[in-house]
Amino acid sequence: MVHTITLDAHADFEAWKVQARDLCAARIPPGQVRFAPPDRDDPILDLGMMALMNNRRNVVTSRDFMDRAERVACHSDPERYDRLYHLLWRLQAQPSLMRNTVDDDVRWMVEADKAIRRDRHKMHAFVRFRKVGDSETGRERFMAWFEPSHYIVDLATPFFTRRFPNMDWAIVTPFRTAVWDGEALRFEPGGTRDDVPDEDVVEEQWKTYFSSIFNPSRLKVAAMTAEMPKKYWNNLPEAALIPSLIQTAKTRERMMMDSLNHEPNPIAEKATYQPDQTDEDLSPPDIAALWEQVEACRRCDLWEGATQGVAGVGPDNARLMIVGEQPGDKEDLAGEPFVGPAGQILTQALEEAGLSRETSYVTNAVKHFKYEVRGQRRIHKNPSVSEIKACNVWLEREIELVKPDIVLCLGGSAARAINGRPVKVGENRGRVLERPDGLKFFITSHPSYILRVQRYEDAPTAYPQMVADLRKVAALLAA
Ligand code: URA
């Protein structure tokens, strides 16, 4: 007997949850249940539901499992709901199953969850609105076309209500359209690219902005294609500019180096730290949950101007944790730390010192991008001490979860965040320091500092000194 549960929407986690709990309570094993979301088109024989109420038992779940399951329900795997049920079933006999990261089912769920998060980040970064007129109430109206890889519209679009609360907008995707009228977010059937007008004024402004932030020193066409797959290029007005930007890359690179003139220096300014206004659980069970909470963090005001919260990336059992200051412009858009010019210096210095970026966990002291707008550019601003403190819960949780052998602090803000009070980079760099709780840390320059001093012929030692520091870290790890 196979029980077929028809789900009306692609990402119908609530319906799945109710049915799955009932089926599990009635001890119906996974082989006898098939969930049929609209994207499942293999023929399913519906033999009807049995009386499920006999022989019920309590259903074991965990918050981690349910949180992940809610995201994984958005995956494009047509069998996702069956697989989730299979995991729920197994959880009944093995309540700590989710901690077994080598189990095939758990690995599938972790990978599917990552794919959803990546897709959501891409949607947040690559949706481009086109102005389509004004509404009856005089509000401006915008539309955007986007093709996500998974059924993430319900999951990803609340972000845009916070980012663009004062305009009316619709985001059209092939399977679902999200519509915001300033008060409520509603969902309608999907559409096509033709539903969204091609060009508008905002697009021209956006192209100008993109030209000004285009980073010629990171000109790697293969990497750009990986980060911004071609299907998004169709949608991105700035993609048309890329050939000419490539041609002028060298000149622009020199200009960019000239403009990178900041050195991390956490000077206290207005106190925006709002410890009492938080109700979030500050102990996410794993790095994946931490990402989620960083994204939703409102512990200071920086989230308002940022595209997204940028949590750490790398293995959650890394021996080396690398801490920077805060995401920059590129990191804010990509949702990953150190993908911009400073990241290039970091990767190169690590390689020269015999350290691997891939096996390290890379994060920042502050998780949202702080900047001021000058003309059409977003210029980095140093985080204040109160912002570093507000973000410290996340950094400390990352340390608890990853348990690194050593933390490498890049520059003054990172060192302050790890040490809990100011530490002078110049006086303390290049040697192992230890916190009262035994955590070993090591300080070196921030890679943006290296970019800055490259302008001056009298500072040829900055980069070699950083590499020398990193070699000491490599030796410590090898010892
Ligand atoms: N600078 C940082 O400190 N962190 C990043 O992620 C990027 C630039």
Side-chain angles (χ1 to χ4, degrees), residues 396-416:
E396 288 301 320
R397 189 67 188 140
E398 285 174 305
I399 293 169
E400 278 168 25
L401 290 166
V402 177
K403 301 188 184 56
D405 291 344
I406 188 149
V407 176
L408 171 65
C409 304
L410 304 174
S413 299
R416 192 195 203 290

Side-chain angles (χ1 to χ4, degrees), residues 310 324-328 331 336-340 342-343 363-364 410 446 448:
V310 179
E325 183 194 71
Q326 60 157 335
E331 289 78 15
E336 270 192 41
F338 284 106
V339 295
T363 190
N364 279 304
L410 304 174
H446 191 285
S448 298

